[in-house]
Amino acid sequence: SQQGEEDPQALSIQEGENATMNCSYKTSINNLQWYRQNSGRGLVHLILIRSNEREKHSGRLRVTLDTSKKSSSLLITASRAADTASYFCATDAYSGAGSYQLTFGKGTKLSVIP
Amino acid sequence: DTAVSQTPKYLVTQMGNDKSIKCEQNLGHDTMYWYKQDSKKFLKIMFSYNNKELIINETVPNRFSPKSPDKAHLNLHINSLELGDSAVYFCASSLRGNSPLHFGNGTRLTVT
């Protein structure tokens, strides 16, 4: 089944530094999404990038997509302690009858040290 | 107001019991989902459902069944609970199948 794989599995940085997380997937997609999960909470949608887009920005977030390499990256600039969370990429997969399902990777656990 | 709410937040039960988790969304979305997150944080889709069809992940045991009384609710019923069912279960909804998902805060199920 199609699935994103995040890299690295865990990342620890100092507050103010930039954090980069990568995601690779296996088959063609319509869009790729990034989510954040704080401890004990549900996932929160961060950004969606379509297959015909190469880069997208939202505040301190920058997402790139390379469909030729089937990979995406999430950059968080000027990190804050509040950015400490797990980050997941999700790819859409056609599940038949005009329906799509999102499939998530295993996530990158980001720790931002004050 | 909470967009996607699920209850209970914690559920501790014994093997063999039957339990249900409730989910409600007030976003007017057409599609709802159940995901299972294991101890390694891996999220696996179990079901997606809109008013037209139910799509079941073929790896989900038939002890798990979604029940939707209306468009805003998708409850999860689990029969004959097993130790391996222990996990966090998330309900989610979206406008369309590949639109951004809105998640509930999860139900931590512990089977003893």
Side-chain angles (χ1 to χ4, degrees), chain A:
Chain A
S1 61
Q2 177 170 312
Q3 183 177 5
E5 290 283 342
E6 289 90 344
D7 167 57
Q9 287 188 326
L11 179 61
S12 184
I13 59 173
Q14 295 288 331
E15 201 166 30
E17 293 180 338
N18 295 341
T20 299
M21 288 158 271
N22 302 299
C23 170
S24 59
Y25 56 93
K26 296 176 183 175
T27 61
S28 62
I29 60 172
N30 290 302
N31 69 55
L32 183 144
Q33 303 178 34
W34 285 91
Y35 288 78
R36 182 188 75 232
Q37 184 180 30
N38 290 91
S39 180
R41 305 299 296 270
L43 280 74
V44 174
H45 178 258
L46 295 176
I47 198 164
L48 179 153
I49 187 165
R50 301 189 192 285
S51 59
N52 61 354
E53 297 175 312
R54 291 297 168 258
E55 187 170 313
K56 205 161 183 180
H57 297 254
S58 177
R60 294 184 295 112
L61 306 180
R62 174 182 167 239
V63 168
T64 62
L65 179 65
D66 187 336
T67 52
S68 66
K69 295 181 180 178
K70 292 187 171 57
S71 68
S72 173
S73 67
L74 170 67
L75 169 67
I76 304 174
T77 59
S79 64
R80 305 167 181 168
D83 295 329
T84 294
S86 292
Y87 292 82
F88 295 84
C89 69
T91 52
D92 60 350
Y94 186 64
S95 54
S99 298
Y100 290 84
Q101 291 185 351
L102 284 185
T103 304
F104 287 82
K106 296 179 181 177
T108 292
K109 187 171 184 179
L110 173 66
S111 299
V112 181
I113 303 166

Side-chain angles (χ1 to χ4, degrees), chain A residues 41, chain B residues 1-6 24-29 93 102-105:
Chain A
R41 305 299 296 270
Chain B
D1 288 340
T2 304
V4 180
S5 60
Q6 53 183 109
E24 176 183 4
Q25 55 98 2
N26 63 5
L27 297 166
H29 286 166
S93 71
H102 295 255
F103 281 82
N105 281 325

